Amino acid sequence: MSAFAPDSLVLNRKLPLWYQVSQSLRASILGRSPDASLRLPTEEQLAAHYGVSVLTMRQALKELEEEGLISRHRRRGTFIEPGARRSAPRRLLGSIDAIVAQQSGERTTVLGHGPQPVPGELAEHFPDLREVVTYRRLRRDAETGEPTNWAENAVRPEVAAAIGLADLERWPMTKVLRDAVGVRISRITDTVEARLADPATAELLQVPLLSPILHYTGVTYDEDGRVVDVARIRYRGDRFSFTVTVEAD
């Protein structure tokens, strides 16, 4: 069994450190390889890895424990819960690692991809393009196999040329863009709204036609201010909720 190794993290000093660390560690836990150890490094080792205090690390671990992803045992250590549910509420707090964490921990199937004319509703995001490369993916609960959401990503062609389908089956698009392709992401804008399931969504998510869904739109910008990706994700309304936390200055 291979050792568990958390991803690296570049901290944003404008956001609570414990929150950034908890979201990064959450993504690492949900995206771990099947043979990875369930035992986490010690608090001290994790604190050194992320470059934070032990107190901050302890607060981050408390967040994951309350979510049911880990359990902590005195003298034995901290362990990943093998049966932890992946459909906990999404928490939005302005961190790229938070976006990655929100999208992690599910089994992903690429349904199709290829170039297409820029859809009319996305024209404002790609004013300089005639075509984008679209990826359609279905995500299932890693344990039950139940469909949880499906996503459409519209990506700039020059960026899409560097995307591997195997990476998209393993990682969320945000992580692929940042870590595999090397896009320097400056920001992501999120919009969540209630909608009714259309025929395609009802079939893919195995829900009744016109049943409630959560429709998420995420627009990803690079360091030059260009839109590189627009994600449109349909979540089952009976499986997800979104929580927004506003921190005081």
Side-chain angles (χ1 to χ4, degrees):
M1 179 178 291
S2 61
F4 175 81
D7 291 342
S8 59
L9 171 65
V10 177
L11 293 170
N12 181 343
R13 296 294 169 177
K14 294 182 180 180
L15 294 173
L17 297 182
W18 67 266
Y19 174 80
Q20 296 177 71
V21 170
S22 71
Q23 293 303 295
S24 179
L25 188 54
R26 182 181 189 275
S28 296
I29 289 172
L30 296 181
R32 70 191 186 278
S33 62
D35 63 339
S37 172
L38 294 179
R39 183 176 188 140
L40 290 181
T42 66
E43 288 181 353
E44 292 77 11
Q45 290 170 329
L46 286 171
H49 173 79
Y50 286 113
V52 298
S53 69
V54 172
L55 186 61
T56 295
M57 193 67 240
R58 198 165 291 159
Q59 189 173 4
L61 291 172
K62 183 174 182 291
E63 173 84 359
L64 298 179
E65 184 177 28
E66 290 177 351
E67 188 179 334
L69 285 179
I70 64 172
S71 59
R72 308 173 75 188
H73 306 273
R74 190 172 183 178
R75 296 191 180 91
R76 290 180 52 212
T78 302
F79 296 84
I80 298 169
E81 286 290 334
R85 294 288 294 173
R86 269 71 173 180
S87 57
R90 271 40 181 164
R91 299 187 63 189
L92 307 180
L93 193 55
S95 162
I96 300 301
D97 284 283
I99 300 297
V100 171
Q102 290 156 24
Q103 300 169 351
S104 297
E106 294 163 320
R107 197 171 70 224
T108 301
T109 302
V110 177
L111 301 175
H113 74 288
Q116 72 167 71
V118 175
E121 64 271 26
L122 302 186
E124 64 178 303
H125 299 301
F126 301 106
D128 58 327
L129 297 179
R130 292 185 178 181
E131 282 190 341
V132 290
V133 178
T134 299
Y135 297 86
R136 300 173 74 250
R137 293 167 297 143
L138 177 66
R139 299 189 183 112
R140 299 177 181 273
D141 184 278
E143 295 174 6
T144 67
E146 179 184 57
T148 58
N149 63 88
W150 79 278
E152 285 183 299
N153 288 80
V155 182
R156 298 186 72 89
E158 67 271 24
V159 175
I163 293 176
L165 294 184
D167 287 339
L168 279 181
E169 292 182 342
R170 178 183 178 191
W171 294 324
M173 177 65 84
T174 304
K175 183 175 177 65
V176 171
L177 292 174
R178 185 188 64 179
D179 298 345
V181 178
V183 174
R184 297 180 65 86
I185 297 173
S186 63
R187 71 184 191 278
I188 298 175
T189 61
D190 295 320
T191 303
V192 181
E193 57 186 318
R195 291 191 182 180
L196 301 179
D198 56 34
T201 296
E203 180 179 359
L204 287 170
L205 299 187
Q206 299 177 13
V207 297
L209 183 65
L210 302 181
S211 61
I213 63 167
L214 291 176
H215 189 281
Y216 162 90
T217 302
V219 183
T220 301
Y221 298 81
D222 66 13
E223 61 181 349
D224 295 322
R226 297 184 314 164
V227 173
V228 295
D229 168 51
V230 178
R232 291 172 291 173
I233 308 175
R234 291 82 165 175
Y235 293 93
R236 286 183 56 153
D238 59 345
R239 292 290 183 272
F240 293 95
S241 63
F242 282 77
T243 299
V244 180
T245 301
V246 178
E247 297 288 334
D249 293 334

